[in-house]
Amino acid sequence: PDKSFTSAYACLQLLGNGTMFFDKAYLGLASAAPADPEFLPAQDENRLLNPSMEMTTQEGLPVQWAVLSEKDGRGALDSSRAFNGANSLMLSCPDDIKQPARLLWMQRNIQGRLLDCPPGTEMELAVHADTAGDPSVHFRFYIEMMKGGRFIGSMIFGMYGRG
């Protein structure tokens, strides 16, 4: 972060049509990031809660994660394409939708877990992203920050990335 903020949230977003699976999310100090991509660091090093989507509610939703879907898209917990553990987050928008709406998974209120990251701290955001081999599927993952109810900035990773 390069500015002080009072609220922050993390997003995993499908851009356009297709199906996307996210698993094993990490947000933390770049110096504490796992060197081995197969390894998920201890929870106290990861600023995201439930990073492998293993904890679920009675309704079958991932604890700490919420899906934001405007009209035609769908988000769900998925066990068919998990990379780490039993679950992943799935986002899907049918190919016949000409102008797909915003579709993302979000973890709100992460600002309290970023208190030891003053402006200028080098951070890393990483996630296992799976497009099921479809190169036309685009996604991004990002952090947005606010202060006093106003948007002040974002850290965007993987914009138009491929899994």
Side-chain angles (χ1 to χ4, degrees), residues 21 53 60 74 76-82 86-90 105:
F21 301 88
M53 317 347 156
R74 183 174 81 88
L77 192 65
D78 182 85
S79 60
S80 69
R81 297 197 68 92
N87 299 316
S88 64
L89 301 176
M90 185 272 299
W105 281 98

Side-chain angles (χ1 to χ4, degrees), residues 137-158:
V137 176
H138 298 273
F139 62 93
R140 68 179 177 175
F141 41 106
Y142 58 96
I143 306 298
E144 289 191 331
M145 297 154 285
M146 299 180 77
K147 184 172 186 174
R150 300 185 72 174
F151 172 77
I152 62 165
S154 58
M155 296 184 292
I156 299 175
F157 304 81

Side-chain angles (χ1 to χ4, degrees), residues 6-38:
T6 55
S7 67
Y9 51 91
C11 298
L12 309 170
Q13 183 177 15
L14 174 65
L15 298 171
N17 303 97
T19 299
M20 185 77 229
F21 301 88
F22 296 102
D23 196 1
K24 206 180 84 160
Y26 173 78
L27 171 64
L29 300 174
S31 61
D36 182 348
E38 301 293 320

Side-chain angles (χ1 to χ4, degrees), residues 35-99:
D36 182 348
E38 301 293 320
F39 176 71
L40 194 61
Q43 183 59 51
D44 60 343
E45 294 176 9
N46 196 342
R47 303 317 197 266
L48 297 175
L49 300 177
N50 196 16
S52 278
M53 317 347 156
E54 301 307 308
M55 296 183 295
T56 60
T57 66
Q58 289 181 344
E59 295 80 24
L61 298 172
V63 172
Q64 298 293 332
W65 292 94
V67 68
L68 174 61
S69 175
E70 296 174 350
K71 59 183 185 179
D72 303 311
R74 183 174 81 88
L77 192 65
D78 182 85
S79 60
S80 69
R81 297 197 68 92
F83 179 75
N84 182 280
N87 299 316
S88 64
L89 301 176
M90 185 272 299
L91 293 172
S92 183
C93 186
D95 288 337
D96 61 342
I97 304 300
K98 299 292 186 219
Q99 293 182 329

